[in-house]
Amino acid sequence: MNTIIQKIDSEKNNIYIKREDLIPYSFGGNKARKAFKFFEHIGDDYDYVVTYGSSSSNHARVVANLCQKFNKNCIIISPEEAEKETYNSLMMKIFNAEIIIVPVSEVSKTIDDTLEKLKNQGHTPYFIQGGGHGIIGTSAYVDCYNEISEYEKENNINFDYIFLASGTGTTHAGLVCGQLINKDNNKKIIGISIARNANRGKHVIIESIKDYLKENNYIINEEKIKEYTYFLDDYIVGGYGLYNDDIMETIRNMLFKEGLPLDPTYTGKAMTGMFKYISKNEINNKNILFIHTGGTPLFFDFLENEYKNKFKN
Ligand SMILES: *Cc1c(COP(=O)(O)O)cnc(C)c1O
């Protein structure tokens, strides 16, 4: 799954992008990398995959697609508070996923009931947490970290910073695990929060790191884990899915200059945060890697929302 790393135009620093969006399945993205790991575990032992995701969920779209590939029944529990139709939700429907819509307060009970009901009917359901959260999801991004290390060795370069959009924190946790396991002290991995506040977000990331290290018998003390987990909530601009003119400008710039699609919820927000962090901290002449975590269908939702009416004759 080794995705390419490309250098983009930039004046003050050397900026590179790891193109996780080009993972060659279902528009790629970090959810594709994680979901492939889950399906390795699922193998032939389960006939249903049950997961959680809103109508804009990249995770739910990839899982529904993989269920078609591996011939599994797919059930997606979805919160009624976020039911606007999107390209992701359309694809979930095309992939024949059964979508169960309930108020967000009933999600957890609905998941339990659904699994219980399937088991009672003699089925073998496998549950994947929303966003592909959990040790298996984390392990996908330890792999990604190792690819980055390989690239550094082959190209005789050290990335001083790695930036990414951090949501459930699984992607971020996997990268930090890779860093800690490789004892790589020469870089800062910085997660730009797309919704969570610093306290909650950082706590979840640290728990994910601890879970993964414990499961794989690595002993690393908690202080060190905390020291290496940089999670910034300065660029949330009001909450999940909300965006401002700065983010729109980043998206336009990257599209015009690099032909690179970003979306306002994740990659566009995180890259805007990255540029603000770089200028605020006067970072110069450094090697900086941005992880493009995917979300291409959200780019098309953005196009439709922002531009469709504007260019209608
Ligand atoms: C889910 C998602 C993220 C956040 O990943 P987490 O592992 O949940 O933190 C970032 N970018 C995109 C495009 C996503 O779909």
Side-chain angles (χ1 to χ4, degrees), residues 21 28-31 34 56-59 61 88 130-133 137 141 164-173 192 194 196 205 231 240 263 265-267 270 291-296 298:
D21 59 316
N30 63 345
K31 303 312 185 304
K34 293 189 217 181
S56 61
S57 170
N58 293 312
H59 164 72
R61 175 245 312 158
N88 278 331
H133 189 62
Y141 273 84
L164 73 150
S166 197
T168 70
T170 320
T171 304
H172 189 174
I192 306 288
I194 53 93
R196 285 181 181 163
I205 295 163
F231 179 79
Y240 182 83
D263 77 89
T265 304
Y266 295 104
T267 53
I291 314 260
H292 190 316
T293 42
T296 303
L298 304 180

Side-chain angles (χ1 to χ4, degrees), residues 68-139:
Q68 283 294 339
K69 178 179 173 70
F70 292 113
N71 210 10
K72 311 285 182 194
N73 299 297
C74 183
I75 298 183
I76 296 161
I77 319 287
S78 206
E80 74 181 13
E81 287 80 356
E83 268 319 302
K84 192 174 185 294
E85 185 166 278
T86 68
Y87 286 109
N88 278 331
S89 69
L90 256 180
M91 280 189 274
M92 292 173 219
K93 285 173 193 154
I94 292 169
F95 301 142
N96 291 316
E98 182 187 336
I99 301 168
I100 301 177
I101 298 168
V102 295
V104 75
S105 59
E106 287 170 29
V107 161
S108 150
K109 185 180 181 306
T110 307
I111 291 169
D112 292 344
D113 292 351
T114 304
L115 294 172
E116 179 80 16
K117 189 172 132 203
L118 289 169
K119 283 179 199 158
N120 289 338
Q121 292 168 346
H123 289 294
T124 48
Y126 184 96
F127 177 64
I128 306 178
Q129 283 189 60
H133 189 62
I135 292 174
I136 295 172
T138 306
S139 76

Side-chain angles (χ1 to χ4, degrees), residues 211-228:
D211 287 348
Y212 176 87
L213 294 176
K214 190 168 173 220
E215 173 91 0
N216 291 283
N217 302 313
Y218 291 103
I219 298 164
I220 294 171
N221 78 47
E222 184 151 347
E223 282 316 304
K224 181 141 191 175
I225 295 172
K226 283 186 182 151
E227 185 190 330
Y228 280 81

